[in-house]
Amino acid sequence: MKKIYMDYGATTPVDKEVVKEMEPYFNQVYGNPSSFHSFGREAKNAITEARDKVAQLIGADIVKEMIFTSGGTEADNYAIKGVASALEEQGKHIITSSIEHHAVLHTCEYLEKERGFEVTYLPVDEDGFVNPQDVKDAICEDTILITIMLANNEMGTIQPIAEIGEIAKTAGVTFHTDAVQAVGTIPVDVNQLNVDLLSLSAHKFNGPKGVGALYVRKGTKIKKFLHGGAQERNRRATTENVPAIVGLGKAAELARKNLNRKREELIILRDKLINGIEEKIDHVKLNGHRTERLPGNVNFSIRYIEGESILMKLDLEGIAASSGSACTSGSLDPSHVLLAMGLSHEIAHGSLRLTLGKYNTEEEVDKVLELLPKIVADLRAMSPIYNQ
Ligand code: PLP
């Protein structure tokens, strides 16, 4: 059986070119980048080159604005806790949205519960959009940080970040965006978006797992996250993961080169999948905005059945999908994102996320469109609440 991977939102395969680029950094160029000798210098140069490539991908003009991290989660934690610690004398109010990834939500909750911060969790509309006016209205004298994601990992809606960034700038409030799902899949430019901080993660765009970066605009007040050595310009201690950083750099270079072509191809596949599901299966609801969504994201609520049972049947057919984000699948709670968009518990439970990426083909989409209606029909036939 030929397996089909449609869970690119959870993670992506590492490109062969990326693996090739990383290989020498395990046992040929193995010096510690902080070492004075030529072995160390070679490793340091590789990091500088990677930093430059990542900066180019997101339009950062000063490469020193980029701090490598262990992934998106650390970048989010660093941004939020780092700014909160730097500015807590000035105010203790943070604005975020109710549909953020747990890396942001749980960090905000920690600040609330353990450190006396006050957090406003903004609502979203039925398409999953944050209203910029709500952001404006929520800003008060105590507000020190706004953190709103660029694109949602579950239902793909892309937020009006540039507009929110403009509001933050005018109010003089530091603005962070979690762009983990967006970087490498849609054009991202830190200046156009008016952001001060931005999180990204290599494994979402065909780079290795366990490495990411936090963009920090020059002049942004932020406290260091890891204490120890003087790596990353004294902002993040620990010996750098050189092969992973080199891999992130190469993935960024490839993403930048192929971004527009790949995005257009993915949108065609995505829309074929969306239209096909709507044509072939009744009682379905597309979650997220129809066009202002990530190029590879398809998320449906399928009534009268549970997301988990569809996933199991798909898995038996060799098709990998998910029912929400990878981090929340495994829990039986319905997605906080879909609930925030106004879906009932019952409908939110029946959600299916198919996320397409670089290596998906039209044949694979056709295969899913052939199998999924049968799976849904079989499950509904067994459902006591379905009678049509
Ligand atoms: N933020 C978003 C929007 C994500 O989708 C993810 C991962 O799924 C993360 C943060 C966490 O990234 P990482 O897995 O690199 O820690």
Side-chain angles (χ1 to χ4, degrees):
M1 178 170 53
K2 196 173 163 286
K3 292 213 237 175
I4 297 176
Y5 186 75
M6 287 198 184
D7 203 12
Y8 276 77
T11 195
T12 63
V14 182
D15 267 340
K16 284 201 182 77
E17 281 179 78
V18 171
V19 175
K20 203 165 146 225
E21 189 94 354
M22 290 169 70
E23 260 164 11
Y25 293 92
F26 287 99
N27 52 14
Q28 291 172 42
V29 185
Y30 53 82
N32 185 324
S34 301
S35 297
F36 169 76
H37 45 64
S38 64
F39 291 77
R41 282 199 304 275
E42 246 186 300
K44 195 173 190 78
N45 288 344
I47 292 179
T48 305
E49 221 176 279
R51 205 186 304 275
D52 196 15
K53 289 174 182 168
V54 180
Q56 283 182 44
L57 179 65
I58 60 167
D61 33 31
I62 305 168
V63 292
K64 284 178 184 160
E65 292 177 319
M66 193 78 57
I67 301 171
F68 290 117
T69 65
S70 63
T73 301
E74 186 189 319
D76 286 342
N77 271 261
Y78 189 168
I80 298 167
K81 291 177 190 165
V83 171
S85 299
L87 299 180
E88 64 188 322
E89 300 291 306
Q90 193 180 306
K92 287 191 129 187
H93 178 233
I94 295 171
I95 299 170
T96 188
S97 84
S98 46
I99 60 161
E100 298 296 311
H101 188 274
H102 284 145
V104 167
L105 282 182
H106 289 171
T107 305
C108 287
E109 283 160 20
Y110 153 78
L111 289 174
E112 239 179 339
K113 287 188 189 124
E114 314 258 335
R115 297 198 22 205
F117 280 79
E118 194 197 319
V119 182
T120 300
Y121 299 90
L122 294 176
V124 293
D125 67 15
E126 70 270 19
D127 286 325
F129 287 117
V130 171
N131 183 346
Q133 186 62 40
D134 287 349
V135 178
K136 199 172 182 177
D137 294 345
I139 296 173
C140 61
E141 212 155 279
D142 259 2
T143 312
I144 49 144
L145 175 69
I146 298 168
T147 171
I148 310 270
M149 72 198 320
L150 179 42
N152 185 265
N153 44 303
E154 293 191 35
M155 49 67 193
T157 294
I158 299 168
Q159 300 296 336
I161 289 301
E163 206 181 323
I164 297 171
E166 194 62 51
I167 291 168
K169 201 162 43 170
T170 308
V173 178
T174 303
F175 182 36
H176 165 249
T177 191
D178 173 345
V180 167
Q181 290 284 333
V183 169
T185 56
I186 59 171
V188 171
D189 183 302
V190 289
N191 294 317
Q192 275 170 13
L193 293 175
N194 298 313
V195 296
D196 299 308
L197 302 125
L198 177 146
S199 307
L200 62 92
S201 178
H203 76 105
K204 305 293 184 182
F205 56 102
N206 305 98
K209 293 168 185 57
V211 63
L214 177 65
Y215 161 80
V216 184
R217 187 178 293 282
K218 197 165 172 253
T220 304
K221 291 204 169 66
I222 184 164
K223 281 263 167 82
K224 71 163 79 169
F225 192 55
L226 288 183
H227 298 82
Q231 289 90 352
E232 294 294 278
R233 299 173 64 236
N234 208 10
R235 293 202 276 192
R236 181 185 185 260
T238 185
T239 302
E240 297 87 340
N241 186 349
V242 182
I245 290 171
V246 166
L248 166 58
K250 186 68 185 176
E253 180 192 322
L254 294 175
R256 184 162 167 257
K257 204 163 83 187
N258 303 321
L259 194 69
N260 287 332
R261 184 175 53 80
K262 258 294 141 214
R263 184 164 56 111
E264 280 163 23
E265 285 170 15
L266 272 181
I267 288 174
I268 293 171
L269 289 186
R270 176 197 75 190
D271 289 348
K272 180 168 188 182
L273 194 49
I274 289 177
N275 296 335
I277 290 174
E278 286 179 330
E279 264 164 39
K280 289 169 181 243
I281 308 174
D282 55 5
H283 304 295
V284 293
K285 179 189 177 304
L286 178 69
N287 294 316
H289 192 268
R290 195 165 287 272
T291 52
E292 287 299 303
R293 70 188 298 130
L294 287 169
N297 179 289
V298 175
N299 185 317
F300 274 100
S301 287
I302 303 183
R303 289 204 73 176
Y304 308 117
I305 40 181
E306 299 229 318
E308 275 67 28
S309 43
I310 313 176
L311 285 189
M312 275 191 278
K313 290 261 189 190
L314 283 172
D315 191 35
L316 288 174
E317 300 285 350
I319 298 167
S322 85
S323 64
S325 69
C327 315
T328 46
S329 58
S331 102
L332 285 176
D333 295 336
S335 140
H336 68 283
V337 175
L338 299 182
L339 292 181
M341 288 162 66
L343 269 65
S344 67
H345 272 63
E346 184 220 327
I347 297 178
H349 260 305
S351 80
L352 172 68
R353 182 185 77 164
L354 295 154
T355 38
L356 305 166
K358 200 165 182 177
Y359 299 110
N360 286 123
T361 62
E362 190 167 4
E363 291 72 51
E364 290 179 333
V365 168
D366 289 338
K367 186 80 188 162
V368 170
L369 285 175
E370 179 195 321
L371 288 171
L372 188 59
K374 287 186 202 151
I375 290 173
V376 171
D378 287 351
L379 289 170
R380 280 182 177 164
M382 294 187 292
S383 164
I385 47 171
Y386 182 72
N387 54 10
Q388 265 184 313

